[in-house]
């Protein structure tokens, strides 16, 4: 009772002492803003056309777990891809096989605007289990691009299914060291511009 009385007295005094023309205002309690992020998981399938080898590398199925800001259109996501089995013909006659790992080095980031989606992925391209004309080639445990490949993907946005395309450069290779140093060989055979990538993102509802 005493606390309530004190509060009432203070309120009356505040009103009485307030200068004429002024209104005593009380702080308004605003409701929390609704969350703007939409989280979706996509299945990722794709094909990479390696320009120098004129060969296709099948990618996926992998996953992309995204969060889309419904207010700004910004998106970010974590990409996970399984190893791919590559088959290439070198020098026009020599068959080669290799395990190809695409290893993301950062989150996928992008933006949705005017019905289009643009996104960037940074990833290392790693080679292992290489065979030349059926014979194993020792490339060491860390044969990969010296820097991540930067891939700018673009396509029409649809929440359920998104087709995307990119043209990108494969950086030079480094760390390809077995019985001999093979960095110049792989850089000469694979690295360079105009590599094509087509990917399809299918929402997993």
């Amino acid at each position: 009772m005493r606390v309530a009385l004190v509060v009432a007295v203070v309120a009356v005094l505040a009103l009485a002492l307030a200068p004429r023309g002024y209104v005593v205002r009380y702080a308004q309690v605003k409701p929390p803003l609704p969350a703007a992020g939409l989280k979706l998981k996509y299945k990722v399938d794709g094909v990479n056309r390696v320009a120098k080898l004129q060969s296709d590398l099948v990618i996926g199925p992998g996953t992309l777990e995204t969060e889309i800001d419904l207010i700004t259109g910004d998106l970010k996501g974590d990409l996970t891809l399984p190893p791919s089995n590559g088959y290439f013909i070198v020098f026009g006659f020599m068959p080669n096989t290799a395990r190809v790992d695409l290893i993301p080095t950062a989150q996928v980031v992008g933006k949705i605007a005017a019905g289009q989606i643009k996104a960037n992925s940074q990833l290392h391209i790693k080679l292992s289990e290489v065979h030349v004309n059926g014979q194993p080639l020792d490339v060491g445990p860390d044969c990969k691009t010296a820097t991540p490949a930067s891939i700018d993907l673009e396509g029409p946005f649809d929440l359920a299914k998104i087709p995307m395309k990119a043209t990108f450069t494969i950086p030079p290779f480094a760390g390809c060291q077995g019985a001999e140093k093979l960095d110049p060989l792989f850089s000469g055979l694979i690295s360079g511009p105009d590599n094509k990538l087509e990917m399809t993102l299918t929402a997993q509802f």
Side-chain angles (χ1 to χ4, degrees):
M1 289 291 296
R2 186 170 297 176
V3 173
L5 179 61
V6 170
V7 172
V9 171
V10 170
V12 171
L13 287 175
L15 290 171
L17 296 176
R20 293 184 178 180
Y22 287 82
V23 178
V24 177
R25 299 187 184 276
Y26 299 95
Q28 295 181 348
V29 179
K30 296 182 179 180
L33 293 173
L38 174 65
K39 294 184 178 181
L40 287 171
K41 183 176 181 178
Y42 287 92
K43 184 180 76 158
V44 179
D45 297 286
V47 177
N48 173 207
R49 182 70 172 176
V50 183
K52 281 188 175 180
L53 295 174
Q54 289 297 294
S55 298
D56 291 337
L57 180 69
V58 177
I59 298 171
T63 59
L64 177 64
E65 297 190 24
T66 66
E67 182 173 357
I68 302 172
D69 190 313
L70 298 177
I71 296 174
T72 66
D74 293 331
L75 68 89
K76 59 183 178 181
D78 295 309
L79 177 65
T80 304
L81 294 171
S84 296
N85 294 315
Y87 177 84
F88 313 104
I89 300 296
V90 179
F91 306 128
F93 67 91
M94 188 178 296
N96 287 253
T97 59
R99 166 177 163 155
V100 182
D101 286 274
L102 303 177
I103 307 170
T105 60
Q107 279 194 311
V108 175
V109 293
K111 196 172 187 71
I112 302 165
Q116 291 288 113
I117 179 171
K118 295 182 179 181
N120 176 267
S121 178
Q122 305 272 333
L123 48 84
H124 276 296
I125 301 171
K126 183 179 180 181
L127 303 177
S128 60
E129 300 175 15
V130 178
H131 287 74
V132 178
N133 203 23
Q135 300 300 312
L137 179 65
D138 185 5
V139 300
D142 198 31
C143 179
K144 62 184 180 182
T145 49
T147 58
S150 180
I151 304 175
D152 292 315
L153 290 149
E154 184 174 359
F157 178 72
D158 182 285
L159 203 61
K161 197 167 188 176
I162 309 172
M164 304 186 78
K165 294 182 179 181
T167 301
F168 69 101
T169 296
I170 297 177
F173 281 80
C176 305
Q177 180 73 56
E180 57 184 314
K181 189 173 183 178
L182 300 172
D183 299 343
L185 174 64
F186 289 119
S187 296
L189 290 174
I190 302 172
S191 302
D194 300 325
N195 302 282
K196 307 294 184 182
L197 177 61
E198 294 186 7
M199 301 189 79
T200 300
L201 301 149
T202 306
Q204 306 295 286
F205 294 114

